[in-house]
Amino acid sequence: MVKTLEDLAKIKDKAKATLSARSAEQSTKVVIGMGTCGIAAGAREVMAAILDELGKRNLAAVTVAQTGCVGLCDKEPLVEIIRSGKPKVMYGRINAERARRIVAQDIVNDQIIGEWVVGTKA
Amino acid sequence: MRLFRAHVLVCAGTNCSLKSNKAVQDRLVREVERRGLADEIKVVETGCFGLCEQGPTVVVYPEGVLYCRVTPDDVPELVEEHLLKGRRLDRLLYREEVPAAGAAVSAGPKAFQTVPEMNFFRGQVRIVLRNCGIIDPESIEEYIANGGYEALGKAITAMTPAAVVEEVKASGLRGRGGAGFPAGLKWEFAAKAKGDTKYIVCNADEGEPGTFKDRLILEGDPHAIIEGMALAAYAIGATQGYVYIRGEYGLSIDRLQKAINRAKEMKLLGRGIFGSKFDFDIEIRTGAGAYICGEETALFESLEGGRGEPRLKPPYPTDSGLFGKPTAINNVETLASVAQIIANGAKWYRGFGTERSPGTKVFTLTGDIVNEGLIEVPMGITLREIIFGIGGGVPNGRSFKMAQSGGTSGGCLPAALLDVPMDYDELAKAGAALGSGALLIMDDTHCIVDIARVFARFFMHESCGKCVPCREGTFRLHEFVENATKGKATPQDLQTVHALARTMALASLCPLGQAAPVPLLSTLQYFRDEYDQHINEKRCPTGTCRGLATPAKALSAAGKGA
Ligand SMILES: Cc1cc2nc3c(=O)[nH]c(=O)nc-3n(C[C@H](O)[C@H](O)[C@H](O)COP(=O)(O)O)c2cc1C
């Protein structure tokens, strides 16, 4: 029910998330290793946890993508955080719970979680 | 809120639905579920994406990768490769011929991966089509998410009706139904007309052969029409709107009706919109597929339950239109532009297009062109840019012969006029018209005289018969061209045709009869030699007209020989 411009803005805010997945202008990207190795190590659950956590926090401007095996099978599930203008950060041996913390700490608060980092790249 | 890592958009425009898009979509949903991806991936049905020739199209976001001619059998591989393994499925990618740098020849087809890279989209400016192929047309939330209904809210809460009229006037928006009459001026007349009851009518009859833009706009973004109509109603003081859609447009009718229902539930239509005193409602009326019923006064007759025949003008619709009340009638595309103008301002809109034809125009590309489909470009772009840039050129190694612009009553443009800017005034100078935005491209295998015969037959068939110049004139014009295709026309006939055309232009009751000779006259103007060959030498250079002599070379080139 729309009676005022504020009502309209509320609907817009809620629905915007759906559409932002359909634009290429994303500031933050989360890439999850979903090769056979990643999936065997639990990457699907990691993916689900990240999507869920982002959804709960209304972080629609974050793109979630998957990639194949990068050769670090031993460190799977791998989660990489890419931000424009910052070095890429790759986390290894991530499970669903750690994935949620990555969302809270790295994506939201911009603090790298050192102990899980397997590498960074400019 | 549910987030998905990927959105798979399946085009559900009418053109794609002729090519089993529904089966593709169903299969996608099933495969995504079977692979356990249903929580990560959302399959969305959208409106037309524009690349009808390449349909059914599927676009995967966030990357924006476009897959073409997708069949249900392609789906398992597509899901496995792209969605599960994250690899692009090369064989279904869109391909474009790209000229090698500095050379005129093509470097061979290049596979394009994503939407923004494609020539087809790079040349376009999508204002009317901004939501088409991107949002789910059955979701009012997605329309709102893209800024929908903000213009209406702004107008009702912060602008007077007169200010809305002024803004549209200042934008220079001209009617997209054919005649190019300034929309703001029309609204001003309707607003100033005396009377308590006024109407806004959306003309969605779209009878012009080769035109399907209004249909795809309605299918792809129905709320844009509702918002445009509500703005028009607010501006002129109407409380009731009608959309006159041709009955064959089942999906448009269905989507628009759903959109109207949703808007009513949300109180964006009905009583006291945005908490104001402004009431507005919309009803759909369907037509029965007569070309004449797109003519505004015949449309009113039909809407009132009468026989679809034009009225004498004046009085003009803005004084006495539907049910004899002041009425503003606008084309779908005109109305679909309005909300953007109010939201962004007239000055922004004038940043596109030309001085006398501001904004963008939606064209439907059909015929001998690689990318048949729906495009939106700034006014003033050249025909060459449309055909050879966005349209991808003429296929099968043939060469361009002519483009008919503006539908059946538009003129035919030869290769020498490829650089004519596409706007109302420039095209009128060239003896053609922007009209409805249909662009029919023909290659050199087509016989001009035979094409003129097809057009002439259309008018003969569609003349409503109310006035003599049109009823008899269209019959005689057809007789002449048909004779020419049989080698029975004489040079004397040509003079008669010109005299008849003048009479029809001057004396016909409505523009149907007035414009009926246009295609014939323009082909006579630009392809006179081909008529002369038919009339004087009894020869058809392309081998189309059976019974006339044809050079053997032309026959084999056209694949028409033995
Ligand atoms: C024979 C004939 C058919 C027409 N068909 C259509 C049509 O299908 N759709 C349309 O919008 N206008 C059509 N028109 C133009 C309408 O009469 C009218 O000018 C138009 O709806 C006004 O809207 P606009 O100012 O937004 O272009 C037709 C005109 C004639 C003479």
Side-chain angles (χ1 to χ4, degrees):
Chain A
M1 181 99 118
V2 181
K3 275 280 150 205
T4 61
L5 284 175
E6 290 75 56
D7 295 344
L8 192 69
K10 267 186 222 145
I11 299 176
K12 180 176 179 176
D13 274 349
K14 250 178 83 184
K16 227 164 52 187
T18 323
L19 284 197
S20 65
R22 286 171 228 166
S23 115
E25 304 152 21
Q26 308 286 343
S27 53
T28 306
K29 197 168 167 187
V30 184
V31 183
I32 301 160
M34 299 276 255
T36 309
C37 46
I39 292 173
R44 277 255 105 74
E45 292 75 41
V46 170
M47 165 80 78
I50 288 180
L51 284 174
D52 182 56
E53 198 63 31
L54 289 173
K56 276 189 195 151
R57 294 166 183 268
N58 257 326
L59 294 175
V62 178
T63 316
V64 183
Q66 61 177 3
T67 186
C69 171
V70 294
L72 281 170
C73 312
D74 176 46
K75 298 274 193 298
E76 293 280 1
L78 289 164
V79 173
E80 191 174 27
I81 310 291
I82 304 170
R83 281 201 187 86
S84 55
K86 292 214 176 137
K88 295 179 188 173
V89 179
M90 188 181 273
Y91 294 108
R93 301 228 173 108
I94 298 304
N95 57 25
E97 195 201 315
R98 290 181 174 183
R100 288 180 193 277
R101 264 192 60 200
I102 289 177
V103 173
Q105 205 164 322
D106 187 326
I107 296 177
V108 176
N109 290 320
D110 213 1
Q111 290 168 352
I112 296 177
I113 310 171
E115 49 181 322
W116 305 334
V117 172
V118 293
T120 58
K121 203 164 101 197
Chain B
M1 182 178 62
R2 281 274 300 282
L3 282 188
F4 298 90
R5 74 171 158 88
H7 288 215
V8 183
L9 275 56
V10 187
C11 178
T14 291
N15 291 337
C16 281
S17 70
L18 299 174
K19 304 183 192 166
S20 69
N21 73 322
K22 194 74 198 145
V24 169
Q25 189 183 341
D26 291 346
R27 192 76 182 262
L28 263 169
V29 171
R30 281 212 313 273
E31 272 303 302
V32 164
E33 265 170 26
R34 194 173 71 80
R35 295 287 192 168
L37 298 171
D39 289 336
E40 298 170 20
I41 286 160
K42 183 172 179 167
V43 179
V44 189
E45 179 178 317
T46 66
C48 177
F49 182 72
L51 260 181
C52 309
E53 165 63 21
Q54 307 271 344
T57 54
V58 170
V59 188
V60 184
Y61 283 98
E63 306 96 313
V65 176
L66 170 71
Y67 293 110
C68 297
R69 300 180 203 268
V70 181
T71 67
D73 290 339
D74 291 328
V75 168
E77 190 185 353
L78 184 69
V79 170
E80 169 159 352
E81 286 297 307
H82 191 132
L83 298 175
L84 199 65
K85 296 186 179 156
R87 291 195 292 236
R88 290 172 189 188
L89 183 54
D90 194 60
R91 68 177 178 86
L92 293 179
L93 288 176
Y94 172 78
R95 272 160 224 281
E96 251 170 25
E97 293 279 341
V98 202
V105 288
S106 168
K110 172 172 179 227
F112 275 81
Q113 312 234 312
T114 65
V115 175
E117 292 173 345
M118 296 162 46
N119 282 341
F120 182 74
F121 285 100
R122 267 200 318 214
Q124 295 195 43
V125 176
R126 292 165 80 97
I127 294 174
V128 169
L129 302 179
R130 59 197 275 271
N131 284 329
C132 283
I134 298 186
I135 68 166
D136 173 356
E138 297 193 1
S139 161
I140 193 170
E141 287 83 4
E142 293 197 3
Y143 179 71
I144 292 174
N146 240 359
Y149 289 110
E150 277 173 12
L152 182 62
K154 171 177 161 185
I156 293 176
T157 57
M159 293 169 84
T160 61
V164 175
V165 170
E166 275 314 311
E167 197 67 34
V168 175
K169 257 172 83 177
S171 76
L173 172 67
R174 297 173 69 168
R176 301 292 194 247
F181 191 81
L185 207 54
K186 187 181 279 185
W187 293 9
E188 184 172 66
F189 292 153
K192 291 194 172 148
K194 288 200 180 61
D196 293 337
T197 309
K198 294 178 184 179
Y199 296 109
I200 164 84
V201 175
C202 172
N203 189 342
D205 191 55
E206 195 160 62
E208 202 64 76
T211 311
F212 44 86
K213 68 179 176 76
D214 295 342
R215 171 184 218 161
L216 297 178
I217 295 168
L218 280 162
E219 287 173 8
D221 199 12
H223 285 285
I225 310 302
I226 297 177
E227 189 175 4
M229 286 180 77
L231 283 163
Y234 179 73
I236 70 165
T239 55
Q240 180 66 48
Y242 291 95
V243 184
Y244 186 88
I245 311 189
R246 71 180 23 231
E248 298 98 307
Y249 281 11
L251 190 60
S252 305
I253 296 168
D254 183 47
R255 293 250 170 89
L256 185 64
Q257 189 59 58
K258 280 184 182 150
I260 291 172
N261 296 347
R262 278 300 280 149
K264 281 188 190 169
E265 282 165 30
M266 298 275 238
K267 303 283 179 220
L268 288 162
L269 279 179
R271 297 197 150 269
I273 300 171
F274 278 102
S276 72
K277 291 200 171 70
F278 172 57
D279 306 334
F280 182 58
D281 207 345
I282 297 177
E283 281 180 37
I284 296 178
R285 292 285 186 274
T286 55
Y291 179 56
I292 190 63
C293 286
E295 194 282 331
E296 51 197 24
T297 59
L299 186 153
F300 297 147
E301 287 291 328
S302 169
L303 229 162
E304 291 170 12
R307 185 184 165 117
E309 286 181 347
R311 300 171 182 168
L312 202 59
K313 285 194 275 194
Y316 290 100
T318 45
D319 288 320
S320 173
L322 185 60
F323 302 115
K325 306 289 184 199
T327 305
I329 176 164
N330 280 117
N331 173 254
V332 169
E333 186 188 345
T334 315
L335 290 164
S337 311
V338 169
Q340 287 301 301
I341 291 170
I342 297 300
N344 302 303
K347 209 170 144 237
W348 166 83
Y349 192 69
R350 281 192 166 275
F352 307 97
T354 62
E355 176 63 30
R356 301 210 46 213
S357 301
T360 53
K361 179 80 193 81
V362 180
F363 288 97
T364 44
L365 303 182
T366 54
D368 300 319
I369 186 157
V370 172
N371 293 327
E372 275 190 286
L374 183 75
I375 63 164
E376 181 174 0
V377 288
M379 289 272 194
I381 188 174
T382 65
L383 193 56
R384 186 187 303 279
E385 287 170 88
I386 294 183
I387 297 173
F388 294 95
I390 299 168
V394 176
N396 307 324
R398 306 300 317 185
S399 58
F400 170 84
K401 182 164 189 172
M402 67 128 202
Q404 193 191 36
S405 162
T408 342
S409 44
C412 298
L413 301 163
L417 290 178
L418 271 173
D419 291 308
V420 65
M422 303 290 284
D423 76 12
Y424 292 102
D425 308 306
E426 293 292 333
L427 278 173
K429 271 191 237 156
L434 200 56
S436 59
L439 271 180
L440 175 64
I441 316 299
M442 298 209 185
D443 70 20
D444 54 355
T445 60
H446 295 279
C447 167
I448 284 291
V449 183
D450 188 58
I451 291 165
R453 181 185 61 82
V454 174
F455 295 146
R457 208 179 76 197
F458 173 80
F459 284 113
M460 181 177 71
H461 186 248
E462 293 293 344
S463 172
C464 76
K466 183 169 175 173
C467 74
V468 177
C470 176
R471 183 180 68 222
E472 296 303 318
T474 51
F475 181 83
R476 293 297 168 197
L477 289 183
H478 176 258
E479 186 180 58
F480 159 73
V481 229
E482 191 167 63
N483 280 342
T485 62
K486 291 179 177 157
K488 288 188 198 151
T490 66
Q492 172 62 33
D493 289 344
L494 275 176
Q495 284 170 15
T496 315
V497 160
H498 275 109
L500 177 60
R502 266 196 304 280
T503 306
M504 290 171 72
L506 287 171
S508 295
L509 183 64
C510 87
L512 190 152
Q514 291 158 16
V518 169
L520 183 56
L521 292 181
S522 70
T523 51
L524 266 169
Q525 182 181 350
Y526 295 120
F527 299 94
R528 179 58 190 263
D529 52 337
E530 223 169 302
Y531 278 93
D532 286 342
Q533 285 168 332
H534 281 75
I535 294 169
N536 301 333
E537 302 164 28
K538 315 288 175 213
R539 211 159 61 82
C540 174
T542 62
T544 308
C545 300
R546 300 252 158 219
L548 297 193
T550 305
K553 203 172 75 204
L555 276 180
S556 61
K560 286 168 185 159

